[in-house]
Amino acid sequence: GCLYAVFNGIWSRNTGYFTVPGGSLNIMACGTAEGTQKFKVALWKKVDGGAAYVPDSTYYVKTDGSADKDGLTWETATTLHNALSKSINGNFIHVAAGTYVPEQSLAGSKGAAEDATFEISANVSLIGGYPADAVTGAVADPDANPTVLSGRLSGGRHAYHVVCVTAAKADGGRVLMKGLTITEGLCSGTASYYTLNGARFYISRGGGVTVGNAAVDIADCKITQNKSAKDCAGICIVAGADVSLTDTEISENECSNGNGAGLHNEASV
């Protein structure tokens, strides 16, 4: 038999990928076969001198996902930490509704409980708003399906940063964070820091999100109710980071002894 895939692709100079409008791909098979046939569509990226295969380009995450699952379908959903650790530049992570709490420390940190964070170390698209019981074909709707990244840890503790973006700028690629609520981070009153991707990640700044020397688009998100014992409770952008904010709410973030409760931008755009 044979297999044909037909689509009208739009080439993106930013990512180096073809995008299929509407997210659909028409596949036509010919020949004869018995039983149910399953096909996996591979993604290839244009590189100098040819093309490179991008394995497992989309991961699926649910609150009850398991780290021992591959995360390649909603039915085999994995954890958010597992999806982030497996992803490479250009991958997508689709996250079902529910509340997610970080359990892994920021790379290079001292490993204190409060160092737990969701670290985005590759230029991936992290998209929330899918139904909690999502199945194949599910559509994101953040208003109907709140997807919450919370810094409220066990034992009354809170993460210094709910999300840290450490992805290196590469070939015009960007991190996308979309349809997420980021809340309940609590920065330390101590101005110590860890250096990652050429940026200083102060534990006293960016209780919701800290972006260091990365290119990030934040869309349809809420960064709310984060706190800092010093300054910059909501989102901290440092060290030449390039960040755009679209239809994003930054509200009810509090500093007890400093400035920039909602947003702090230092040597960045």
Side-chain angles (χ1 to χ4, degrees), residues 24-58:
S24 62
L25 177 66
N26 296 321
I27 298 177
M28 178 178 66
C30 60
T32 60
E34 295 182 355
T36 301
Q37 306 303 308
K38 296 182 179 180
F39 304 101
K40 180 178 180 180
V41 179
L43 179 63
W44 292 75
K45 180 179 180 179
K46 182 179 179 181
V47 297
D48 292 341
Y53 174 58
V54 179
D56 305 329
S57 57
T58 301

Side-chain angles (χ1 to χ4, degrees), residues 104-186:
Q104 296 180 10
S105 297
L106 177 65
S109 70
K110 295 179 180 179
E114 293 85 355
D115 285 319
T117 190
F118 291 113
E119 182 178 355
I120 303 176
S121 59
N123 291 295
V124 300
S125 295
L126 182 64
I127 303 172
Y130 292 91
D133 58 352
V135 295
T136 301
V139 177
D141 183 345
D143 292 331
N145 307 302
T147 304
V148 181
L149 308 186
S150 172
R152 182 185 287 272
L153 309 175
S154 61
R157 295 185 175 94
H158 290 258
Y160 294 141
H161 318 283
V162 181
V163 176
C164 285
V165 185
T166 63
K169 298 175 183 176
D171 299 328
R174 300 179 68 88
V175 171
L176 171 65
M177 298 167 57
K178 184 175 182 180
L180 303 168
T181 296
I182 301 167
T183 188
E184 296 196 272
L186 175 59

Side-chain angles (χ1 to χ4, degrees), residues 22 27 40 43 53 58 68 73 89 94 105 109 112 135 150-151 160 175 195 228 240 242 246-247 252 259 265:
I27 298 177
K40 180 178 180 180
L43 179 63
Y53 174 58
T58 301
D68 62 3
T73 68
N89 289 348
H94 294 175
S105 297
S109 70
V135 295
S150 172
Y160 294 141
V175 171
T195 301
S228 174
D242 177 0
T246 305
D247 296 328
E252 300 183 65
N259 301 310
N265 183 7

Side-chain angles (χ1 to χ4, degrees), residues 194-218:
Y194 311 120
T195 301
L196 295 163
N197 189 30
R200 292 182 176 182
F201 286 75
Y202 282 89
I203 65 175
S204 58
R205 296 178 176 179
V209 182
T210 296
V211 181
N213 194 26
V216 184
D217 297 323
I218 301 175

